[in-house]
Each structure stands twice: as C-alpha cells, then as structure tokens.
C-alpha cells in the first residue's frame, strides 16, 4: 500500500513541477491509506447491502402490490367448496379485478405437508385447511379496494377472510426498511470516522512540520499553498486506500451475492444490484477522496490561521 | 508600492514583551529609508533578534506603531502578510533551512513560493549558489553542510528574490573573515540595486568595511541614538551617515 501511494506520487512527478516543493510528502502518509481502505471497503459493503435490500423490497412489493388473498375458513369441506365457488364468481364481476383463481387443493396439501408433518397415509383431508383464492387486481391493493372486495365476498361466503398479500409481508418490509436505515447510519458513521481519522492525521502532520511551515510562512508562503501540499498528500493516500478498499468491498459483495443466489429463494432472488447501483458503489471511493481532501484542507487552514 | 523618498520602515514607541515578562524592547523609534545600509549592534541579549523579528513580521509588538512600505503593519490583515514578506529577504540567526530540502531547493523556495516558473529558477539559483561558493554542493541536504556553508545557503535564499529589504541576523557569524567580506560585498551590490539592508552584528570590523552605513545601537532593549541619525535620518540621496541629519 505504501508502495501504491508512493507510485501515485511518482506519476505526478514532473507534471506539477511548478508546485512549490515545501514539505516532504512521503512522511505525511503513514497508516492513512490503510485506514481509508478499511473505511471504503466497509462503506461499499454497507451501501451494496442497502441497495440490494431496496431492490429486493421493490421486486417483492411489485409482485405483491396487486395481489389479494381470500381464505375460506370453515371446517366443513362441502361448505368450503361452495363458498369458494361463490366468491370466485362474485369477484370475477368486480371491475378492478384482473384475474381470480382458486388454488388447487392438491397444491395446498403439498404446500402444508412439510409444515404439518403428515406422511403418506395420514388423513390430510380431516385437517381444516382453508380454501385459498388468489386475486390479481388491475392496480395496487389499496385498503379501499380490499374493503370493496370484502364487501362483495362476505355476503356470499360468510367465512371468507380477504387480505392484501402485501399486508402479510408488512413486518418483512418494516425489517427491510430498518436494515436500510441501519446501512445508511453505518455509512454516515463511517464517514464521520474517516473525517476524524483525517483530522487527527492532518493535525499530526502539521505538528511534525511546524518548523517548516513557519519557514515557508516567513518566506511569503500563503496558507493555501501550504494547505495544498497536505491536500495533495491526502489525495494520494485516499486514492490508494480507496482503490484497495473498493476492490476488497466488491470482492466481498460478489462472493456474498453468489452465496445468496444459491439459496434460490424468491425474496433473496430480488436482492440483486442493477448497473445504476454499481455506479453508486464505484462513486464511493471518489466521495471518500473528496471527503478526505476537504477535511485535510479545512483542518490545515484552521490551524494555520492561528499562526502568525 | 512606496514612494522613492518615503520611508520604508517606521517604528514609533515600539515595545515588546514576551508573555508577562518585562519589556525586551522599550520605546524603540526609528525610520529606515529605502536604499540605505544599516547595521544594528548591541550586546548579546540586547534585543537585536527581537527587533528584527518585528521588522520581518514574525512577531507583533506589544505596543507602539510600525509602518512597513508605507502601510500600518500592526493592523495588517493576515492574508496580506505573505505579500509583504515576499518583499523582505531574511537571513535568520539560526539559518532556519528546511532540513528535507537540498541546498538548491532551499534557495529556490522563495521563488517557488512566489510562483516563478521552474524554467526561471534553475539558472539564477545555480548562479547564486556558485557565487556563495557552493556550486558543487547544490544537491546536498543542509544537515551535511558545515555551519558556514549552511549560513551561505541561508544568505543565498534571502537574496535570491531581490527583496526590497534584506534583514540579516549575524549573517557572518560562522564564516571566516574572507568569506565574511565576500558576503558583505554581496549585500552591498544588492544595496546598490536599491535594496535596503539591515544587518545585525557584533562585528565592529565588518561595520568599518561599509563606510556609508548607518548604525543603530541597542542597549538593554533601548535604541541609543546619540547622533540623532535614526530619528532624523539622511535623505535617500545622501546616505553618508550621521553627519547629515535632515529633519522630518
Ligand atoms: N521567544 C522568547 N521568549 C521569551 N524571551 C525571549 C524570546 N526570545 C528572546 N527572548 C529574550 O529576549 C532578550 C533579547 O533576545 P534577543 O534574541 O533579541 O537578543 P539578541 O540581541 O539577538 O542576542 P544575540 O546577540 O545573542 O543574538 C533575551 O533576554 C532573551 O532571553
Ligand atoms: Mg540574536
């Protein structure tokens, strides 16, 4: 890493030869690139998680938005079938409904089998499994619409329970929302920690070079000229750290997403990163560099103002 | 910019104390005119360095008035200090070379700070280092130079940008008499080009070598001026010493 940031200094080489060589830049860096690398890696991972969660929530809610489920909960199988048929017939007439379909009883049985622990030979029929009717609306399942469907269903089927599908997942969405806030908070904390690290490093560097800074002041050097040296040094450190951090973060994300993809579950399958998300992630090191340089500049200028 | 005849420095009842101690400088009043050559003498601890620090804006006085290049230096806002400092070349008593820079880069520093292009730096700096006898040691760090060599680098750095005023604190303290004389000739030639020169020294022989110089004497923080040459200095055209006082 030290090599990387000193290489970057080399590239600058003669290009900026007119810049006054005032302070020994190599001595400014120390552990700074590593600190930045860790911060960037963690920010990248936190941001990727936040974005993936957002995408998962969006995919899931798009699927569920127009979905309403009607359950017919009654113990008598014949009555259950009658009410289900009545509800299907009634709801087909509603203008906001795009499609109504009763979930086949065999499908239901296979669905509940692993949960109820039934084996071949067990009398699944004897269990009061509700009839399920899947309703697709033309628009989102708002409370008003659900109420309207309920008003249509209950007169013909007294044991019908009408719920928006999104409503079932409300706790999951709430959890995802919380996790997103957590990711955002984590990123904010990482930014604060970066600022603090840069601030301390800059103050430290200022202390080490106080003598030289005084001389440069006496020779007519301006605060901005001196600050520029620190900024540039910080920019190189942050660039080296940012690159390594980004690399590490991306490798982590890709590895994690492969493992999640292996789970093959519906909700997780939605947790992918789009190309726009990758742009955001690629911008993180740039934002880190900007933050570090700006912090260094303000720290140095503030300290210099206290000198004569 | 100052008028040709206007004073370059004016001290009026200046006092300086460090912290709450007694005054190191008290009631210091004098005027320096452009193009003159001044010596500042006085025993060790008399306050020479302190007075020069006020002159090159490294220190603010605790009382009194200081005008520099026709501007009130006490109320000078911070952002205007660099512009003033670039017009003053300083040879510090302790050299104050930048350790991590080569002799060449040390001498080039005032030019780089002033934004002179690298093209216009190489030749003058090389020539100046040749002049002070360090042409073959340009790329050496100060730490590996002798005291006298460091002093010469410090002098080269102070004069490289052709300042309006040169302030030198014991600039020949570490060199042999021949080199001292040579450096003095450098100051004189700069003086002839219009630079006001202020040299603090104990060395009476050195002072005698510049017959047209004016002498300020510090005694325990007070400026003694028996001839009135400082309160009523000569006009710029006749910088011939205390014998030609001219009222303000
Ligand atoms: N930064 C400081 N803080 C406190 N006292 C100081 C400081 N600098 C100088 N002094 C005191 O001020 C007095 C004058 O010091 P100064 O360096 O101006 O003397 P000088 O005439 O230059 O002496 P020398 O010929 O030995 O260089 C001394 O008594 C010294 O102790
Ligand atoms: Mg002194």
């Amino acid at each position: 890493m030290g090599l990387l940031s000193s290489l970057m200094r080399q590239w600058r080489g003669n290009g900026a030869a007119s810049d006054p060589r005032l302070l020994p830049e190599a001595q400014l860096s120390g552990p700074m690139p590593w600190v930045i690398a860790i911060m960037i890696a963690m920010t990248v991972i936190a941001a990727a998680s936040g974005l993936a969660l957002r995408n998962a929530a969006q995919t899931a809610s798009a699927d569920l938005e127009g979905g309403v489920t009607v359950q017919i909960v009654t113990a008598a199988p014949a009555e259950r079938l009658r009410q289900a048929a009545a509800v299907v017939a009634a709801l087909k007439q509603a203008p906001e409904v795009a499609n109504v379909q009763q979930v086949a009883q065999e499908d239901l049985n296979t669905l509940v089998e692993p949960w109820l622990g039934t084996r071949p030979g067990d009398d699944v029929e004897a269990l009061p499994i509700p009839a399920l009717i899947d309703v697709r609306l033309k628009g989102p399942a708002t409370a008003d619409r659900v109420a309207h469907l309920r008003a249509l269903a209950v007169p013909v089927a007294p044991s019908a329970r009408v719920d928006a599908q999104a409503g079932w997942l409300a706790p999951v969405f709430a959890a995802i929302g919380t996790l997103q806030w957590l990711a955002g908070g984590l990123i904010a904390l990482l930014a604060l920690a970066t600022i603090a690290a840069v601030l301390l490093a800059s103050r430290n560097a200022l202390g080490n070079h106080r003598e030289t800074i005084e001389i440069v002041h006496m020779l007519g050097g301006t605060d901005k000229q001196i600050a520029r040296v620190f900024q540039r040094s910080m920019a190189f450190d942050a660039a080296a750290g940012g690159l390594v951090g980004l690399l590490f973060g991306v490798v982590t994300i890709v590895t994690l997403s492969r493992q999640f993809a292996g789970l093959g579950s519906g909700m997780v399958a939605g947790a992918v990163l789009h190309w726009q998300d990758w742009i955001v992630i690629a911008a993180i090191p740039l934002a880190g560099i900007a933050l570090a340089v700006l912090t260094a500049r303000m720290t140095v200028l503030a300290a210099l103002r206290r000198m004569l | 910019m100052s008028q040709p005849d206007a004073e370059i420095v004016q001290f009026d009842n200046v006092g300086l104390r460090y912290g709450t101690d007694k005054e190191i400088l008290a009631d210091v009043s004098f005027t320096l005119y452009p193009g003159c050559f001044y010596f500042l003498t006085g025993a060790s601890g008399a306050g020479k360095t302190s007075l020069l620090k006020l002159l090159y804006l490294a220190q603010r006085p605790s009382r009194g008035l200081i005008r520099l290049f026709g501007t009130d230096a006490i109320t000078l806002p911070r952002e205007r200090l660099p512009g003033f400092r670039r017009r003053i070349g300083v040879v510090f008593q302790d050299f104050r070379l930048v350790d991590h820079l080569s002799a060449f880069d040390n001498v080039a520093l005032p030019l780089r700070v002033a934004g002179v292009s690298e093209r216009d730096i190489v030749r003058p700096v090389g020539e100046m280092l040749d002049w002070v006898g360090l042409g073959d040691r340009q790329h050496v760090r100060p730490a590996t130079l002798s005291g006298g060599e460091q002093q010469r680098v410090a002098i080269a750095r102070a004069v490289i940008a052709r300042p309006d005023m040169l302030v030198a604190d014991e600039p020949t303290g570490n060199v042999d008499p021949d080199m001292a004389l040579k450096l003095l000739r450098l100051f004189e030639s700069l003086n002839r080009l219009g630079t006001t020169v202020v040299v603090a020294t104990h060395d009476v022989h050195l002072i005698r070598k510049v017959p047209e110089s004016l002498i300020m004497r510090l005694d325990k923080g007070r400026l003694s001026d028996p001839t009135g040459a400082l309160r009523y200095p000569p006009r710029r055209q006749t910088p011939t010493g205390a014998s030609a006082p001219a009222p303000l």
Side-chain angles (χ1 to χ4, degrees):
Chain A
M1 179 82 80
L3 184 72
L4 188 56
S5 81
S6 59
L7 256 179
M8 288 182 156
R9 284 169 223 282
Q10 299 267 309
W11 296 337
R12 168 193 60 103
N14 303 322
S18 60
D19 275 328
R21 271 162 254 161
L22 310 177
L23 301 166
E25 290 178 17
Q27 286 171 25
L28 297 185
S29 68
M32 206 55 219
W34 284 111
V35 173
I36 303 255
I38 294 168
M39 299 295 181
I40 295 293
M42 296 207 293
T43 307
V44 162
I45 294 167
S49 314
L51 290 168
L53 282 171
R54 186 202 60 184
N55 293 344
Q58 274 177 358
T59 311
S61 65
D63 284 351
L64 300 176
E65 231 176 18
V68 173
T69 302
V70 183
Q71 297 175 79
I72 314 289
V73 192
T74 167
E79 175 63 7
R80 197 156 66 218
L81 285 175
R82 193 199 62 75
Q83 288 198 11
V87 166
V88 170
L91 293 188
K92 270 193 176 147
Q93 309 302 318
E96 68 265 43
V97 171
N99 187 28
V100 183
Q101 198 174 13
Q102 181 171 2
V103 181
Q105 200 63 44
E106 307 87 76
D107 290 351
L108 271 182
N109 291 349
T110 40
L111 259 177
V112 296
E113 215 175 274
W115 302 103
L116 301 178
T118 53
R119 281 172 209 91
D122 287 354
D123 192 3
V124 175
E125 286 297 318
L127 286 167
I129 297 170
L132 279 186
I133 296 158
D134 187 36
V135 184
R136 293 272 121 201
L137 299 186
K138 285 170 183 154
T142 57
D144 282 354
R145 284 179 176 150
V146 173
H148 179 233
L149 293 185
R150 192 172 292 132
L152 289 175
V154 173
V156 295
S159 14
R161 268 171 41 191
V162 182
D163 294 293
Q165 288 171 3
W168 294 1
L169 280 176
V172 177
F173 285 128
I176 286 179
T178 308
L179 283 173
Q180 279 182 283
W181 276 107
L182 204 69
L186 206 62
I187 291 169
L189 284 179
L190 286 168
L192 280 179
T194 306
I195 289 175
V198 171
L199 200 127
L200 288 176
S202 301
R203 285 212 186 132
N204 192 29
L206 273 171
N208 290 344
H209 298 293
R210 195 181 175 85
E211 171 79 13
T212 305
I213 291 167
E214 272 174 15
I215 295 170
V216 173
H217 265 157
M218 284 306 130
L219 299 180
T222 61
D223 291 353
K224 283 195 181 128
Q225 284 176 318
I226 295 169
R228 218 174 290 141
V229 179
F230 286 89
Q231 274 166 248
R232 206 170 50 209
S233 177
M234 191 53 78
F236 288 124
D237 284 1
L243 208 66
V244 171
L246 179 66
L247 219 68
F248 184 81
V250 167
V251 167
T252 310
I253 301 169
V254 170
T255 311
L256 271 180
S257 66
R258 288 240 173 97
Q259 289 174 343
F260 274 118
L263 293 178
S265 164
M267 189 86 178
V268 174
V272 293
L273 292 173
H274 307 311
W275 62 269
Q276 299 98 320
D277 303 330
W278 285 108
I279 291 177
V280 171
I281 288 168
I284 289 172
L286 298 179
I289 294 170
L291 188 71
V293 168
L294 205 70
T295 307
R297 178 187 174 78
M298 297 202 321
T299 311
V300 171
L301 285 180
L304 291 179
R305 265 194 293 277
R306 287 193 292 272
M307 296 172 76
L308 186 64
Chain B
M1 294 297 125
S2 56
Q3 313 289 306
D5 233 8
E7 71 281 353
I8 199 164
V9 176
Q10 195 175 359
F11 274 46
D12 200 356
N13 277 309
V14 169
L16 173 67
R17 65 170 87 237
Y18 292 107
T20 52
D21 292 352
K22 66 173 176 50
E23 280 192 317
I24 300 298
L25 296 171
D27 303 324
V28 174
S29 302
F30 64 87
T31 308
L32 304 185
Y33 277 66
C36 294
F37 199 119
Y38 298 90
F39 279 110
L40 174 63
T41 67
S44 180
K48 301 184 292 297
T49 299
S50 302
L51 189 134
L52 295 187
K53 272 187 183 165
L54 295 174
L55 209 53
Y56 58 72
L57 299 171
Q59 186 80 54
R60 299 223 191 244
S62 2
R63 65 185 173 92
L65 293 175
I66 296 179
R67 288 178 74 77
L68 208 59
F69 306 119
T71 304
D72 182 359
I74 311 277
T75 57
L76 200 63
R78 212 177 159 273
E79 59 273 17
R80 285 187 66 195
L81 284 175
F84 276 71
R85 283 171 175 157
R86 285 176 196 180
R87 298 176 65 185
I88 307 170
V90 186
V91 183
F92 301 95
Q93 190 167 13
D94 49 357
F95 318 146
R96 310 200 73 181
L97 300 177
V98 180
D99 294 333
H100 64 268
L101 295 181
S102 66
F104 181 95
D105 285 334
N106 263 286
V107 176
L109 207 47
L111 299 177
R112 290 198 171 126
V113 156
V116 176
S117 79
E118 214 59 17
R119 227 185 25 252
D120 301 328
I121 283 176
V122 176
R123 228 170 58 99
V125 171
E127 282 174 3
M128 181 56 70
L129 280 166
D130 278 341
W131 212 93
V132 297
L134 293 170
D136 54 341
R137 313 222 54 192
Q138 296 194 12
H139 302 293
V140 162
R141 297 270 175 106
T144 59
L145 293 172
S146 77
E149 287 169 333
Q150 290 182 29
Q151 193 152 41
R152 282 181 273 156
V153 174
I155 288 168
R157 184 180 69 184
V159 302
I160 189 73
R162 289 257 188 96
D164 293 336
M165 176 162 73
L166 175 73
V167 178
D169 201 349
E170 296 286 356
T172 57
N174 294 56
V175 296
D176 60 78
D178 284 349
M179 183 47 84
L181 202 60
K182 195 175 173 199
L183 293 174
L184 199 64
R185 296 292 166 245
L186 175 64
F187 295 162
E188 281 183 296
S189 51
L190 203 66
N191 179 237
R192 272 192 292 277
L193 291 172
T195 297
T196 308
V197 178
V198 184
V199 178
T201 184
H202 305 284
D203 188 347
V204 224
H205 300 291
L206 205 65
I207 298 172
R208 291 213 184 102
K209 293 285 195 311
V210 191
E212 74 272 25
S213 61
L214 296 160
I215 298 162
M216 301 191 272
R217 211 189 136 67
L218 264 179
D219 197 3
K220 291 192 183 117
R222 288 178 182 271
L223 201 61
S224 55
D225 183 20
T227 60
L230 296 168
R231 266 219 177 277
Y232 307 104
R235 290 190 180 283
R236 196 226 172 297
Q237 280 76 13
T238 57
T240 48
S243 56
L248 279 175

